[in-house]
């Protein structure tokens, strides 16, 4: 016989003994109820009595249609020792339903339809010794639900549909450590856990730790690109802002914990800003649609960037990307030309003060393309490669020839067309490419058997950027589109593919750049038509 049945029989016995005895107070027994001096039992009723005499210490509402418990609804029944609400229509138990019941020892809410119990539902019941929530529809219980139940001796949770996942991790731990006697709790899911006892399951460390991306800062600047760089232990970002005819340099404020404006490099329709630090030179390469392109150098005395060099750009009509890299101790950058008649050009750093030659100078004209869109430098098997993408042709790979010290055509990357951006990344020492396609599916390719082969396609209508980035041991892809939310994908170590993780909103995103500062991780997103956004990557404990 269960404790509920024992108390119900006891209540009926009391009713038989005291049935003919009226209360000393003028109390009318509610309709559908049977009352004695100390007990009220209601069957098939619609509501709970508002008040009962002080002598009543047992209230039972059985087989009724009670659908809601409101805050403090039992506060005028301070003498209750037993409260039984079985077989009603309750779906939720909200916060602070039971305050003002200092003597309550037995609480039974069985056979209802309860799916949700809020965290502070049982707050204040420090004298409660027996609690039954059996035969409801609960899948999860909020963390520390039983925190206030200092006197609890027995707990019955049978007949529910508990899911043995992270949200119930706290319950698994509580079951292992409580001194109360608890009925066996079995998992209803997921599939591989079904039928197992909840309190027998192992809890691997870190199993329920995940991440999230939350908006940290909104910057009222429209930008085409954002390049993060560090100098003298400070973090900066150079933003190409064509609508403002400038390259805006922002600095991380370690006190306010956000980016603030540091300098403004004026130009004409600036489409690219790229930093490069060489010896004591802090340089920013600024490409423009009009007026040529220039290199600016940070002047310590003036605490600002001043023009350092005008770049030879006779063959560049429409610069679209700047890729900076170092080979064999030498610095280079390539400007990608997206015009039909242009020519992507490689520049090399020269430092010969005696010849008055310190700066970047034209080094090599690459194969004439039509509408080049992006370039990516990769090193693999002790060889250096340069990948060029195009809106009109398949991507091509150039190989650095150590004899001629020039890039030579190596091969095409087939079955990928209309590529607007390419980014390389590594996972578990394997090299991958993220290829952004404006029309059709964007691609993830892997270097296998001395060539890149497709391993995953991502639907990406209107996409302008597919950016890989890594925080701690987690690998992500940010797929930014002009027509929808930015989709964040997370690498799955088992399937070795990316799975949809989260949506964030950036209007017409053009770049996503990872930055770590003050032990916090951020992604900086440039927006062509709206505000540039900074999102923080935070750690989330799913068991909370």
């Amino acid at each position: 016989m269960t404790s509920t049945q024992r108390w119900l029989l006891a209540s009926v016995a009391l009713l038989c003994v005291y049935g003919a005895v009226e209360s000393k107070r003028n109390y009318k027994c509610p309709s559908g109820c049977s009352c004695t001096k100390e007990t009220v039992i209601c069957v098939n009723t619609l509501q709970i009595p508002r008040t009962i005499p002080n002598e009543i210490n047992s209230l039972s509402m059985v087989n009724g249609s009670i659908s809601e418990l409101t805050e403090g609804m039992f506060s005028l029944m301070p003498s209750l020792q037993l409260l039984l609400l079985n077989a009603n229509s309750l779906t939720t138990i909200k916060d602070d339903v039971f305050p003002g019941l200092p003597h309550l020892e037995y609480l039974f809410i069985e056979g209802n339809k309860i799916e949700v119990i809020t965290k502070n539902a049982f707050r204040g019941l420090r004298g409660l010794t027996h609690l039954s929530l059996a035969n409801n529809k609960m899948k999860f219980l909020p963390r520390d639900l039983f925190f206030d139940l200092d006197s609890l001796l027995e707990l019955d949770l049978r007949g529910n549909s508990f899911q043995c996942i992270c949200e119930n991790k706290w319950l698994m731990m509580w079951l292992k450590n409580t001194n109360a006697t608890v009925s066996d709790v079995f998992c209803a899911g997921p599939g591989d856990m079904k039928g197992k006892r909840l309190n027998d399951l192992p809890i691997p460390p870190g199993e329920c730790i995940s991440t999230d991306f939350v908006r940290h800062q909104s910057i009222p600047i429209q930008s085409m690109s954002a390049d993060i760089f560090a100098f003298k232990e400070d973090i900066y970002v150079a933003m190409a802002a064509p609508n403002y005819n400038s390259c805006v340099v922002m600095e991380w404020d370690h006190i306010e914990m956000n980016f603030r404006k540091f300098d403004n490099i004026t130009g004409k329709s600036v489409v690219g800003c790229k930093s490069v630090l060489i010896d004591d030179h802090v340089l920013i390469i600024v490409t423009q649609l009009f007026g040529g392109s220039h290199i600016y150098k940070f002047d310590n005395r003036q605490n600002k960037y001043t023009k350092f060099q005008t770049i030879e750009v006779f063959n560049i009509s429409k610069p679209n990307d700047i890729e900076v890299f170092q080979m064999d101790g030498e610095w280079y950058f390539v400007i990608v030309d997206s015009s039909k008649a242009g020519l992507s050009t490689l520049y090399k750093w020269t430092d010969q003060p005696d010849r008055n030659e310190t700066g970047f100078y034209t080094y090599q004209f690459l194969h004439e393309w039509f509408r080049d869109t992006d370039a990516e430098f990769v090193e693999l098997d002790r060889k250096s490669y340069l990948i060029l993408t195009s809106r009109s042709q398949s991507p091509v790979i150039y190989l650095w020839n150590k004899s001629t010290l020039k890039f030579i055509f190596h091969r095409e990357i087939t079955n990928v067309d209309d590529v607007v951006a390419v980014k390389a990344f590594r996972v578990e020492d394997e090299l991958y490419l993220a290829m952004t396609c404006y029309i059709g599916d964007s691609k993830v390719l892997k270097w296998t058997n001395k060539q890149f082969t497709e391993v995953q396609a991502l639907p990406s209508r209107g996409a302008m950027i597919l950016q890989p980035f890594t925080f701690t041991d987690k690998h992500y892809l940010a797929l930014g589109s002009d027509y929808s939310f930015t989709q964040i994908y997370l690498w799955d170590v088992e399937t070795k593919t990316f799975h949809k993780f989260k949506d964030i909103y950036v209007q017409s995103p053009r770049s996503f750049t990872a930055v770590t500062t003050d032990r916090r991780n951020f992604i900086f997103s440039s927006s062509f038509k709206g505000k540039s956004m900074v999102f923080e990557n935070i750690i989330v404990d799913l068991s909370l």
Side-chain angles (χ1 to χ4, degrees), residues 151-198:
S151 303
L152 190 64
L153 299 176
E154 290 189 17
L155 173 65
D156 193 348
L157 296 173
R158 292 174 298 174
N160 286 283
S161 301
F162 288 110
Q163 297 295 303
C164 296
I165 57 178
C166 290
E167 283 78 357
N168 278 328
K169 176 183 175 181
W170 79 271
L171 181 58
M172 300 179 203
M173 298 179 66
W174 185 85
L175 289 173
K176 293 176 184 294
N177 296 303
T178 182
N179 292 322
T181 300
V182 184
S183 61
D184 286 340
V185 182
F186 293 96
C187 304
D192 58 338
M193 297 291 183
K194 189 173 181 179
K196 296 181 180 180
R197 285 206 327 163
L198 185 67

Short mmCIF file of all heavy atoms in Angstrom, two decimals, residues 151-198:
data_model
loop_
_atom_site.label_atom_id
_atom_site.label_comp_id
_atom_site.label_asym_id
_atom_site.label_seq_id
_atom_site.Cartn_x
_atom_site.Cartn_y
_atom_site.Cartn_z
N SER A 151 13.65 18.46 5.00
CA SER A 151 13.19 17.32 5.79
C SER A 151 12.72 16.14 4.95
O SER A 151 12.18 15.17 5.48
CB SER A 151 12.04 17.77 6.71
OG SER A 151 12.42 18.83 7.54
N LEU A 152 12.93 16.22 3.65
CA LEU A 152 12.37 15.21 2.74
C LEU A 152 12.91 13.82 3.05
O LEU A 152 14.12 13.60 3.12
CB LEU A 152 12.69 15.58 1.29
CG LEU A 152 11.97 14.77 0.20
CD1 LEU A 152 10.46 15.03 0.28
CD2 LEU A 152 12.50 15.13 -1.18
N LEU A 153 11.97 12.86 3.21
CA LEU A 153 12.32 11.47 3.48
C LEU A 153 12.00 10.55 2.31
O LEU A 153 12.73 9.61 2.04
CB LEU A 153 11.59 10.96 4.74
CG LEU A 153 11.90 11.69 6.05
CD1 LEU A 153 11.02 11.13 7.17
CD2 LEU A 153 13.36 11.56 6.41
N GLU A 154 10.87 10.82 1.62
CA GLU A 154 10.45 9.97 0.52
C GLU A 154 10.02 10.83 -0.67
O GLU A 154 9.31 11.82 -0.50
CB GLU A 154 9.29 9.06 0.95
CG GLU A 154 9.68 7.98 1.94
CD GLU A 154 8.56 6.97 2.18
OE1 GLU A 154 7.63 6.93 1.34
OE2 GLU A 154 8.63 6.24 3.17
N LEU A 155 10.43 10.38 -1.86
CA LEU A 155 10.06 11.07 -3.10
C LEU A 155 9.66 10.03 -4.13
O LEU A 155 10.39 9.07 -4.37
CB LEU A 155 11.25 11.91 -3.62
CG LEU A 155 11.08 12.56 -4.99
CD1 LEU A 155 9.97 13.61 -4.96
CD2 LEU A 155 12.40 13.20 -5.45
N ASP A 156 8.51 10.25 -4.75
CA ASP A 156 8.01 9.32 -5.76
C ASP A 156 7.91 10.05 -7.10
O ASP A 156 7.13 11.00 -7.24
CB ASP A 156 6.64 8.79 -5.35
CG ASP A 156 6.21 7.59 -6.18
OD1 ASP A 156 6.86 7.32 -7.22
OD2 ASP A 156 5.22 6.92 -5.80
N LEU A 157 8.71 9.61 -8.08
CA LEU A 157 8.71 10.22 -9.42
C LEU A 157 8.32 9.22 -10.50
O LEU A 157 8.51 9.48 -11.69
CB LEU A 157 10.10 10.79 -9.73
CG LEU A 157 10.58 11.94 -8.85
CD1 LEU A 157 12.03 12.28 -9.17
CD2 LEU A 157 9.70 13.18 -9.01
N ARG A 158 7.77 8.09 -10.11
CA ARG A 158 7.45 7.05 -11.09
C ARG A 158 6.39 7.52 -12.08
O ARG A 158 5.61 8.43 -11.81
CB ARG A 158 6.94 5.80 -10.36
CG ARG A 158 7.98 5.07 -9.53
CD ARG A 158 7.35 3.95 -8.73
NE ARG A 158 6.37 4.48 -7.78
CZ ARG A 158 5.58 3.71 -7.02
NH1 ARG A 158 5.64 2.40 -7.11
NH2 ARG A 158 4.73 4.27 -6.17
N GLY A 159 6.41 6.86 -13.25
CA GLY A 159 5.36 7.09 -14.22
C GLY A 159 5.47 8.37 -15.00
O GLY A 159 4.47 8.84 -15.58
N ASN A 160 6.64 8.97 -15.05
CA ASN A 160 6.87 10.15 -15.86
C ASN A 160 7.73 9.78 -17.07
O ASN A 160 8.14 8.62 -17.22
CB ASN A 160 7.52 11.25 -15.04
CG ASN A 160 6.53 11.91 -14.09
OD1 ASN A 160 5.71 12.72 -14.49
ND2 ASN A 160 6.60 11.54 -12.80
N SER A 161 8.02 10.75 -17.91
CA SER A 161 8.75 10.48 -19.16
C SER A 161 10.08 11.21 -19.18
O SER A 161 10.39 11.98 -20.10
CB SER A 161 7.89 10.91 -20.37
OG SER A 161 6.67 10.22 -20.39
N PHE A 162 10.89 10.99 -18.15
CA PHE A 162 12.14 11.73 -18.02
C PHE A 162 13.11 11.40 -19.16
O PHE A 162 13.32 10.24 -19.50
CB PHE A 162 12.80 11.43 -16.68
CG PHE A 162 12.09 12.05 -15.53
CD1 PHE A 162 11.39 11.26 -14.61
CD2 PHE A 162 12.10 13.42 -15.35
CE1 PHE A 162 10.73 11.84 -13.54
CE2 PHE A 162 11.43 14.01 -14.28
CZ PHE A 162 10.74 13.22 -13.38
N GLN A 163 13.68 12.46 -19.73
CA GLN A 163 14.69 12.34 -20.76
C GLN A 163 16.07 12.39 -20.11
O GLN A 163 16.38 13.33 -19.37
CB GLN A 163 14.55 13.46 -21.79
CG GLN A 163 13.22 13.44 -22.54
CD GLN A 163 13.09 12.20 -23.39
OE1 GLN A 163 13.92 11.93 -24.25
NE2 GLN A 163 12.02 11.44 -23.16
N CYS A 164 16.88 11.40 -20.39
CA CYS A 164 18.20 11.31 -19.76
C CYS A 164 19.22 12.06 -20.61
O CYS A 164 20.10 11.46 -21.25
CB CYS A 164 18.58 9.85 -19.56
SG CYS A 164 17.46 9.02 -18.42
N ILE A 165 19.08 13.37 -20.62
CA ILE A 165 19.98 14.24 -21.37
C ILE A 165 20.47 15.34 -20.44
O ILE A 165 20.17 15.34 -19.25
CB ILE A 165 19.29 14.82 -22.62
CG1 ILE A 165 18.02 15.59 -22.23
CG2 ILE A 165 18.94 13.72 -23.61
CD1 ILE A 165 17.31 16.24 -23.40
N CYS A 166 21.20 16.29 -21.00
CA CYS A 166 21.91 17.28 -20.19
C CYS A 166 20.99 18.07 -19.26
O CYS A 166 21.39 18.42 -18.16
CB CYS A 166 22.68 18.24 -21.10
SG CYS A 166 24.09 17.47 -21.91
N GLU A 167 19.78 18.39 -19.71
CA GLU A 167 18.88 19.19 -18.88
C GLU A 167 18.57 18.50 -17.56
O GLU A 167 18.18 19.16 -16.59
CB GLU A 167 17.60 19.50 -19.64
CG GLU A 167 17.73 20.59 -20.69
CD GLU A 167 18.38 20.12 -21.97
OE1 GLU A 167 18.79 18.93 -22.04
OE2 GLU A 167 18.48 20.91 -22.91
N ASN A 168 18.69 17.18 -17.50
CA ASN A 168 18.44 16.45 -16.25
C ASN A 168 19.72 15.97 -15.58
O ASN A 168 19.67 15.12 -14.68
CB ASN A 168 17.53 15.25 -16.53
CG ASN A 168 16.06 15.64 -16.60
OD1 ASN A 168 15.62 16.57 -15.92
ND2 ASN A 168 15.30 14.96 -17.43
N LYS A 169 20.84 16.51 -16.00
CA LYS A 169 22.11 16.10 -15.39
C LYS A 169 22.11 16.39 -13.89
O LYS A 169 22.57 15.57 -13.08
CB LYS A 169 23.27 16.84 -16.06
CG LYS A 169 24.62 16.54 -15.43
CD LYS A 169 25.73 17.35 -16.09
CE LYS A 169 27.06 17.15 -15.38
NZ LYS A 169 28.14 17.95 -16.00
N TRP A 170 21.57 17.54 -13.50
CA TRP A 170 21.55 17.89 -12.08
C TRP A 170 20.74 16.87 -11.28
O TRP A 170 21.10 16.54 -10.14
CB TRP A 170 20.97 19.30 -11.88
CG TRP A 170 19.46 19.32 -11.95
CD1 TRP A 170 18.69 19.48 -13.04
CD2 TRP A 170 18.57 19.11 -10.84
NE1 TRP A 170 17.36 19.40 -12.72
CE2 TRP A 170 17.26 19.18 -11.37
CE3 TRP A 170 18.73 18.87 -9.48
CZ2 TRP A 170 16.12 19.02 -10.57
CZ3 TRP A 170 17.60 18.72 -8.68
CH2 TRP A 170 16.32 18.80 -9.23
N LEU A 171 19.64 16.38 -11.89
CA LEU A 171 18.79 15.41 -11.21
C LEU A 171 19.54 14.09 -11.01
O LEU A 171 19.42 13.44 -9.96
CB LEU A 171 17.51 15.20 -12.00
CG LEU A 171 16.49 14.22 -11.41
CD1 LEU A 171 16.07 14.67 -10.01
CD2 LEU A 171 15.27 14.09 -12.33
N MET A 172 20.31 13.69 -12.04
CA MET A 172 21.12 12.47 -11.90
C MET A 172 22.07 12.60 -10.71
O MET A 172 22.22 11.68 -9.91
CB MET A 172 21.92 12.23 -13.17
CG MET A 172 21.10 12.05 -14.43
SD MET A 172 22.19 11.78 -15.88
CE MET A 172 21.12 12.29 -17.22
N MET A 173 22.72 13.75 -10.58
CA MET A 173 23.67 13.97 -9.50
C MET A 173 22.95 14.02 -8.16
O MET A 173 23.44 13.48 -7.16
CB MET A 173 24.45 15.26 -9.75
CG MET A 173 25.28 15.24 -11.03
SD MET A 173 26.16 16.78 -11.33
CE MET A 173 27.32 16.76 -9.97
N TRP A 174 21.78 14.66 -8.13
CA TRP A 174 21.03 14.77 -6.88
C TRP A 174 20.58 13.39 -6.40
O TRP A 174 20.65 13.10 -5.20
CB TRP A 174 19.83 15.69 -7.10
CG TRP A 174 19.04 15.97 -5.85
CD1 TRP A 174 19.29 16.92 -4.92
CD2 TRP A 174 17.88 15.26 -5.39
NE1 TRP A 174 18.36 16.87 -3.91
CE2 TRP A 174 17.48 15.85 -4.18
CE3 TRP A 174 17.15 14.18 -5.89
CZ2 TRP A 174 16.38 15.41 -3.46
CZ3 TRP A 174 16.05 13.73 -5.18
CH2 TRP A 174 15.66 14.34 -3.97
N LEU A 175 20.14 12.55 -7.32
CA LEU A 175 19.69 11.21 -6.96
C LEU A 175 20.82 10.39 -6.35
O LEU A 175 20.60 9.54 -5.48
CB LEU A 175 19.13 10.49 -8.18
CG LEU A 175 17.78 11.01 -8.71
CD1 LEU A 175 17.43 10.33 -10.03
CD2 LEU A 175 16.67 10.78 -7.69
N LYS A 176 22.05 10.63 -6.81
CA LYS A 176 23.20 9.87 -6.30
C LYS A 176 23.59 10.33 -4.89
O LYS A 176 24.26 9.58 -4.16
CB LYS A 176 24.40 10.04 -7.24
CG LYS A 176 24.21 9.39 -8.61
CD LYS A 176 25.42 9.68 -9.50
CE LYS A 176 25.22 9.13 -10.90
NZ LYS A 176 25.18 7.66 -10.93
N ASN A 177 23.20 11.56 -4.51
CA ASN A 177 23.70 12.14 -3.26
C ASN A 177 22.64 12.36 -2.19
O ASN A 177 22.98 12.60 -1.03
CB ASN A 177 24.39 13.48 -3.56
CG ASN A 177 25.62 13.33 -4.43
OD1 ASN A 177 26.54 12.61 -4.08
ND2 ASN A 177 25.64 14.00 -5.56
N THR A 178 21.35 12.29 -2.54
CA THR A 178 20.31 12.59 -1.55
C THR A 178 20.19 11.48 -0.51
O THR A 178 20.44 10.29 -0.78
CB THR A 178 18.95 12.78 -2.24
OG1 THR A 178 17.98 13.12 -1.25
CG2 THR A 178 18.51 11.53 -2.97
N ASN A 179 19.76 11.87 0.71
CA ASN A 179 19.50 10.91 1.78
C ASN A 179 18.05 10.42 1.76
O ASN A 179 17.70 9.50 2.51
CB ASN A 179 19.81 11.55 3.14
CG ASN A 179 21.29 11.81 3.33
OD1 ASN A 179 22.12 10.99 2.90
ND2 ASN A 179 21.64 12.92 3.96
N ALA A 180 17.22 11.04 0.92
CA ALA A 180 15.82 10.64 0.84
C ALA A 180 15.70 9.32 0.07
O ALA A 180 16.55 8.97 -0.75
CB ALA A 180 15.00 11.72 0.14
N THR A 181 14.62 8.59 0.37
CA THR A 181 14.31 7.37 -0.37
C THR A 181 13.53 7.77 -1.61
O THR A 181 12.47 8.40 -1.51
CB THR A 181 13.47 6.41 0.48
OG1 THR A 181 14.22 6.05 1.65
CG2 THR A 181 13.14 5.15 -0.31
N VAL A 182 14.06 7.42 -2.79
CA VAL A 182 13.45 7.84 -4.05
C VAL A 182 13.08 6.60 -4.84
O VAL A 182 13.86 5.64 -4.95
CB VAL A 182 14.41 8.73 -4.87
CG1 VAL A 182 13.71 9.24 -6.13
CG2 VAL A 182 14.91 9.89 -4.02
N SER A 183 11.88 6.62 -5.40
CA SER A 183 11.45 5.53 -6.26
C SER A 183 12.39 5.43 -7.47
O SER A 183 13.04 6.40 -7.85
CB SER A 183 10.03 5.78 -6.75
OG SER A 183 9.98 6.99 -7.50
N ASP A 184 12.45 4.25 -8.06
CA ASP A 184 13.26 4.08 -9.26
C ASP A 184 12.74 4.99 -10.37
O ASP A 184 11.54 5.03 -10.65
CB ASP A 184 13.22 2.63 -9.74
CG ASP A 184 14.06 1.72 -8.85
OD1 ASP A 184 14.93 2.25 -8.14
OD2 ASP A 184 13.82 0.51 -8.87
N VAL A 185 13.65 5.74 -10.98
CA VAL A 185 13.30 6.65 -12.07
C VAL A 185 13.94 6.11 -13.34
O VAL A 185 15.17 5.99 -13.41
CB VAL A 185 13.79 8.08 -11.79
CG1 VAL A 185 13.37 9.01 -12.92
CG2 VAL A 185 13.23 8.57 -10.46
N PHE A 186 13.13 5.78 -14.33
CA PHE A 186 13.63 5.18 -15.56
C PHE A 186 13.58 6.19 -16.71
O PHE A 186 12.69 7.04 -16.78
CB PHE A 186 12.81 3.94 -15.92
CG PHE A 186 12.98 2.81 -14.95
CD1 PHE A 186 12.07 2.62 -13.92
CD2 PHE A 186 14.07 1.95 -15.05
CE1 PHE A 186 12.24 1.59 -13.02
CE2 PHE A 186 14.24 0.91 -14.15
CZ PHE A 186 13.33 0.73 -13.13
N CYS A 187 14.56 6.08 -17.60
CA CYS A 187 14.64 6.97 -18.75
C CYS A 187 13.58 6.59 -19.79
O CYS A 187 13.42 5.42 -20.12
CB CYS A 187 16.02 6.89 -19.41
SG CYS A 187 17.40 7.24 -18.29
N ALA A 188 12.88 7.59 -20.31
CA ALA A 188 11.95 7.38 -21.42
C ALA A 188 12.63 7.65 -22.75
O ALA A 188 12.08 7.34 -23.81
CB ALA A 188 10.73 8.27 -21.26
N GLY A 189 13.80 8.23 -22.74
CA GLY A 189 14.56 8.55 -23.94
C GLY A 189 15.82 9.30 -23.57
O GLY A 189 16.04 9.61 -22.39
N PRO A 190 16.68 9.61 -24.55
CA PRO A 190 16.56 9.20 -25.97
C PRO A 190 16.73 7.69 -26.13
O PRO A 190 16.91 6.97 -25.15
CB PRO A 190 17.70 9.97 -26.64
CG PRO A 190 18.67 10.27 -25.54
CD PRO A 190 17.87 10.41 -24.28
N GLY A 191 16.65 7.25 -27.41
CA GLY A 191 16.54 5.83 -27.71
C GLY A 191 17.53 4.94 -27.00
O GLY A 191 17.17 3.90 -26.44
N ASP A 192 18.82 5.33 -27.00
CA ASP A 192 19.83 4.46 -26.42
C ASP A 192 19.79 4.44 -24.90
O ASP A 192 20.43 3.61 -24.25
CB ASP A 192 21.22 4.88 -26.90
CG ASP A 192 21.54 6.33 -26.56
OD1 ASP A 192 20.59 7.11 -26.35
OD2 ASP A 192 22.72 6.68 -26.52
N MET A 193 19.02 5.36 -24.28
CA MET A 193 18.91 5.42 -22.83
C MET A 193 17.61 4.83 -22.32
O MET A 193 17.46 4.61 -21.12
CB MET A 193 19.01 6.89 -22.36
CG MET A 193 20.33 7.55 -22.68
SD MET A 193 21.67 6.86 -21.70
CE MET A 193 23.04 7.90 -22.25
N LYS A 194 16.68 4.57 -23.20
CA LYS A 194 15.33 4.15 -22.80
C LYS A 194 15.39 2.90 -21.93
O LYS A 194 16.04 1.91 -22.28
CB LYS A 194 14.47 3.90 -24.03
CG LYS A 194 13.00 3.68 -23.72
CD LYS A 194 12.17 3.61 -24.99
CE LYS A 194 10.70 3.43 -24.67
NZ LYS A 194 9.87 3.38 -25.91
N GLY A 195 14.68 2.96 -20.78
CA GLY A 195 14.59 1.82 -19.89
C GLY A 195 15.67 1.75 -18.84
O GLY A 195 15.58 0.94 -17.91
N LYS A 196 16.70 2.61 -18.94
CA LYS A 196 17.78 2.59 -17.96
C LYS A 196 17.40 3.46 -16.75
O LYS A 196 16.65 4.42 -16.86
CB LYS A 196 19.08 3.10 -18.57
CG LYS A 196 19.61 2.23 -19.69
CD LYS A 196 20.92 2.78 -20.24
CE LYS A 196 21.45 1.89 -21.36
NZ LYS A 196 22.73 2.41 -21.91
N ARG A 197 17.94 3.10 -15.58
CA ARG A 197 17.68 3.89 -14.39
C ARG A 197 18.46 5.19 -14.44
O ARG A 197 19.67 5.20 -14.68
CB ARG A 197 18.06 3.12 -13.13
CG ARG A 197 17.09 2.03 -12.74
CD ARG A 197 17.11 1.73 -11.26
NE ARG A 197 18.42 1.89 -10.63
CZ ARG A 197 18.60 1.99 -9.31
NH1 ARG A 197 17.56 1.99 -8.50
NH2 ARG A 197 19.81 2.11 -8.82
N LEU A 198 17.77 6.28 -14.19
CA LEU A 198 18.38 7.61 -14.27
C LEU A 198 19.56 7.73 -13.32
O LEU A 198 20.61 8.27 -13.69
CB LEU A 198 17.32 8.67 -13.97
CG LEU A 198 17.73 10.13 -14.13
CD1 LEU A 198 17.99 10.45 -15.59
CD2 LEU A 198 16.65 11.06 -13.59
#
